[in-house]
Amino acid sequence: MKRVYVNEKWCLGCHLCEYNCAFAQTGEPDMARALKDKTIHPNIRVEDGDDVHFAVNCRHCDEALCVKSCITGALSKTADGVVTIDQDKCVHCFTCVLTCPYGCILPTEDGAVTKCELCLKTTKGKPACVAGCPNNAIVFEER
Amino acid sequence: MNYVIIGNSAAAVGCVEGIRQVDQKGKITIISDEPYHTYSRPLISYLLCGKTTEELMRYRPDDFYQTNKVETILGQKVTKIDPDAKQVLLESGKTVSYDKLLCATGSSPFVPPMKGLETVEQKFTFMTLDAATALQKAITPASNVLIIGAGLIGLKCAEGIFDSVRSVTVVDLAPHILSSILDEAGAQMMQRHLEKQGLKFYLNDSVESFDHNTALLKSGEKLTFDQLVLAVGVRPNVSLIKDAGGKVGRGIVIDATMQTSLPDVYAAGDCTESHDISSDQDRILALLPNAYLQGECAGKNMAGASCVFDKAIPMNAIGLLGLHIITAGSYEGEEKCVQDKESYKKMFIKDGKLKGYILIGNIDRAGIYTNLIREQTPLSEIDFDMVFEHPSLMAFGRGYRDKVLAGK
Ligand SMILES: Cc1cc2nc3c(=O)[nH]c(=O)nc-3n(C[C@H](O)[C@H](O)[C@H](O)COP(=O)(O)OP(=O)(O)OC[C@H]3O[C@@H](n4cnc5c(N)ncnc54)[C@H](O)[C@@H]3O)c2cc1C
């Protein structure tokens, strides 16, 4: 399946992917207005070192431990392999936070759980993080 | 191939999904004494506090049995396994034949003998949907509820009814709450949080005797209550396998392929004994993820694939009245700990590996720690000080990141 893959050495650490992700989630037309004065909850997060930067988001694992461990059945895989979350079923027990080996499922401040769904429910086509990356540090492809 | 599964919960669902990854055609029959569509057992407390509904707490979609071509016999207890005839006997007298059988019978509440318990009219356990709805019907806004057991189930029950009753009091023999998953300092932090919200505890104490609506504690304290919930512990349901001559310890004994000592009979979930790799010991891991993973592994093997599940560890994610705990592994070895007002973090390191951890409050990216335990990663391969501070992939080598993030 197509996933978001990282070209670590090209990542500038600009964090634009985080903003594009958060913006895509709002469904609003204007980024500045949608995100102004808001704490963003992006599903892709850049880790910054001294001179290393890279973005991390859900790997949509073939053997997804989060899905297998989910106590409610809120997490599941689509036929295409995308790990999605049914927010109505989720009770925020954080068992997925406990089990995701890469720390890609994130609790938000209001106690909910959020994760990358490859923009399945927002933009169609390329995930917003990849579409807005200025340096091809993340790409959406089959590997 | 003719598959029969006893039980209809996490391990059973895992088994169905495991079988169907390998065999699309074989006949699958699920038999369970609970007469419901598969539901998430841990959600019974969330049902009581209105955070889910009976529809939403279904563990799989409504068409699960149809999609996976599963026949169900619900509301029927299996009374016997005959491993020679390869049949199970139902309480109705009917028999069901199998080629491969999974025992996923889970566990039952353990109620120790207590003096005067028979005089208590409104007493409950807290393990099933029926038990939860019975409790829900009994309580009123004026109820004073007494819970025996400050473990996971007792405290989840307390949380579930907390807003609907006048008071909740919890008694436990152990000196601190959640003694199976927390150390003393962590438990104290959690207890303070719960007490601040109004929960009452009597620890290091137990009921000497009941007399109708009063409980006399060993300490001399006398408590009156309207409803009593018994959440002292659970026992794996092993009798079907034991009576059929299968090997049973504290739970049903299985190998890494989930097979019991009986030919063509597998077992998975809370009814079994697991090998905990973090302590290198066999123990009962009554946890939903473990039940699913064991069930799935059993299913694949029953269908002829070869699969082992040999990465079982204790692990828990539990929130109580707004404060979250994540724990994993076993608590042995050298300790490393930081604590402030709102959060608590403790790690246990032995033989150069992370063996266990406790997080309260800040639980972000905890799975990175869980993975270190599960994969038994030598800590010399990563920047452990960095990862201790904040779980990150930065603390891992470039090679690991290339594999995980770049698919190389
Ligand atoms: C209140 C509560 C909260 C919990 N919270 C969590 C949590 O947050 N995280 C977590 O990981 N785990 C939690 N658990 C534990 C979790 O529910 C179990 O680990 C999980 O349900 C085990 O699944 P299982 O399939 O092994 O067995 P079970 O869920 O126990 O199901 C076994 C089924 O088999 C049926 N059965 C038994 N014997 C027979 C028979 N002879 N004939 C026919 N049917 C039979 C039973 O009636 C039952 O329906 C919680 C449990 C409770 C009670």
Side-chain angles (χ1 to χ4, degrees):
Chain A
M1 68 176 289
K2 278 187 167 179
R3 291 184 173 87
V4 174
Y5 289 109
V6 171
N7 291 326
E8 186 171 307
K9 59 175 188 280
W10 291 352
C11 181
L12 307 164
C14 71
H15 294 246
L16 243 173
C17 50
E18 296 179 352
Y19 287 92
N20 281 313
C21 174
F23 176 48
Q25 292 174 56
T26 66
E28 294 203 20
D30 181 67
M31 184 170 192
R33 196 171 306 160
L35 302 183
K36 191 163 179 274
D37 301 327
K38 297 231 171 77
T39 314
I40 61 167
H41 294 294
N43 295 322
I44 186 162
R45 302 272 167 115
V46 176
E47 289 191 26
D48 295 305
D50 290 338
D51 40 30
V52 183
H53 312 271
F54 53 87
V56 183
N57 71 340
C58 174
R59 307 323 299 151
H60 301 278
C61 305
D62 292 332
E63 296 286 327
L65 272 174
C66 59
V67 173
K68 295 179 193 216
S69 301
C70 177
I71 67 169
T72 66
L75 285 168
S76 63
K77 270 192 157 246
T78 65
D80 297 332
V82 180
V83 175
T84 62
I85 182 164
D86 178 344
Q87 293 288 0
D88 290 337
K89 280 181 89 79
C90 177
V91 295
H92 320 137
C93 72
F94 300 148
T95 303
C96 49
V97 177
L98 159 74
T99 53
C100 173
Y102 315 117
C104 292
I105 304 190
L106 306 153
T108 65
E109 268 143 37
D110 56 4
V113 164
T114 162
K115 73 174 296 302
C116 164
E117 298 178 305
L118 295 176
C119 283
L120 209 65
K121 294 172 185 163
T122 54
T123 57
K124 298 273 174 278
K126 230 186 213 178
C129 56
V130 171
C133 179
N135 215 27
N136 272 329
I138 40 177
V139 293
F140 186 53
E141 61 187 39
E142 199 103 28
R143 275 197 187 168
Chain B
M1 194 57 87
N2 182 17
Y3 308 96
V4 172
I5 300 172
I6 311 171
N8 182 27
S9 189
V13 166
C15 182
V16 169
E17 293 179 351
I19 291 171
R20 286 295 178 238
Q21 285 171 50
V22 183
D23 175 1
Q24 298 296 321
K25 292 221 180 75
K27 180 176 170 202
I28 304 179
T29 308
I30 278 184
I31 309 169
S32 183
D33 55 1
E34 286 190 87
Y36 306 112
H37 184 92
T38 184
Y39 68 90
S40 164
R41 189 166 309 288
L43 291 208
I44 59 174
S45 68
Y46 296 83
L47 181 68
L48 296 194
C49 61
K51 278 197 186 157
T52 190
T53 63
E54 283 193 37
E55 270 85 60
L56 286 174
M57 73 189 280
R58 293 181 170 199
Y59 183 53
R60 285 295 181 268
D62 289 355
D63 60 2
F64 173 77
Y65 303 112
Q66 215 183 344
T67 315
N68 288 288
K69 289 174 263 149
V70 177
E71 281 180 30
T72 55
I73 304 176
L74 301 180
Q76 280 275 341
K77 205 179 178 77
V78 174
T79 53
K80 197 175 164 220
I81 299 171
D82 182 342
D84 299 321
K86 294 184 110 179
Q87 283 183 339
V88 300
L89 179 68
L90 308 187
E91 62 187 339
S92 63
K94 207 182 145 204
T95 56
V96 179
S97 304
Y98 64 83
D99 296 320
K100 303 275 178 189
L101 177 70
L102 179 79
C103 179
T105 47
S107 47
S108 299
F110 166 64
V111 180
M114 286 187 261
K115 205 170 138 200
L117 187 59
E118 68 288 350
T119 67
V120 178
E121 268 163 42
Q122 296 209 44
K123 50 176 184 270
F124 304 85
T125 53
F126 198 65
M127 281 206 66
T128 60
L129 184 53
D130 283 347
T133 45
L135 177 62
Q136 188 163 35
K137 281 200 188 110
I139 54 175
T140 70
S143 290
N144 298 301
V145 181
L146 177 62
I147 299 178
I148 311 297
L152 294 159
I153 294 179
L155 293 188
K156 270 318 237 187
C157 177
E159 179 187 56
I161 58 175
F162 189 70
D163 282 335
S164 322
V165 298
R166 178 185 293 155
S167 76
V168 181
T169 304
V170 185
V171 174
D172 201 307
L173 199 59
H176 61 78
I177 67 169
L178 296 169
S179 56
S180 66
I181 63 163
L182 290 183
D183 64 339
E184 202 182 321
Q188 271 165 7
M189 177 174 176
M190 208 61 203
Q191 187 181 338
R192 273 197 302 275
H193 165 77
L194 297 174
E195 282 173 341
K196 227 187 273 162
Q197 318 233 4
L199 222 60
K200 274 181 261 155
F201 289 99
Y202 290 88
L203 301 176
N204 253 324
D205 210 345
S206 60
V207 177
E208 178 84 41
S209 63
F210 289 104
D211 183 9
H212 296 89
N213 281 20
T214 55
L216 180 66
L217 304 189
K218 284 247 162 62
S219 61
E221 194 78 33
K222 216 174 190 177
L223 303 174
T224 59
F225 59 87
D226 300 298
Q227 286 85 24
L228 174 71
V229 179
L230 297 156
V232 177
V234 302
R235 287 286 139 91
N237 295 324
V238 300
S239 61
L240 287 176
I241 296 292
K242 194 174 178 184
D243 295 347
K247 206 169 152 198
V248 166
R250 270 172 298 173
I252 297 167
V253 175
I254 49 175
D255 63 17
T257 70
M258 310 295 117
Q259 193 162 359
T260 68
S261 63
L262 301 169
D264 298 318
V265 181
Y266 293 73
D270 284 15
C271 60
T272 69
E273 236 171 62
S274 297
H275 186 73
D276 165 16
I277 57 166
S278 70
S279 64
D280 197 22
Q281 272 169 10
D282 293 334
R283 37 163 124 167
I284 306 229
L285 298 176
L287 307 165
L288 193 138
N290 197 57
Y292 180 91
L293 290 165
Q294 287 188 328
E296 187 192 37
C297 177
K300 287 182 184 168
N301 289 325
M302 287 159 73
S306 67
C307 174
V308 293
F309 174 58
D310 54 5
K311 291 199 173 153
I313 56 169
M315 51 179 192
N316 275 281
I318 177 178
L320 289 167
L321 300 176
L323 191 55
H324 280 270
I325 306 174
I326 290 191
T327 65
S330 52
Y331 305 153
E332 40 188 84
E334 192 192 318
E335 298 177 6
K336 205 169 148 85
C337 184
V338 286
Q339 180 172 18
D340 59 32
K341 255 209 203 95
E342 269 141 40
S343 69
Y344 182 77
K345 167 158 62 180
K346 193 174 219 174
M347 308 262 152
F348 298 83
I349 299 134
K350 200 176 141 192
D351 305 327
K353 289 173 186 155
L354 185 65
K355 293 290 172 184
Y357 72 86
I358 298 170
L359 299 178
I360 305 176
N362 182 0
I363 49 132
D364 285 3
R365 305 189 83 184
I368 291 179
Y369 295 138
T370 313
N371 198 45
L372 289 175
I373 304 173
R374 193 193 296 115
E375 298 304 329
Q376 302 181 282
T377 308
L379 297 184
S380 57
E381 287 176 9
I382 64 167
D383 186 340
F384 184 64
D385 288 337
M386 180 189 269
V387 101
F388 177 79
E389 189 99 4
H390 290 294
S392 69
L393 300 187
M394 188 68 78
F396 291 73
R398 177 77 194 264
Y400 180 78
R401 284 204 298 279
D402 274 349
K403 198 172 99 206
V404 171
L405 301 176
K408 282 185 193 154

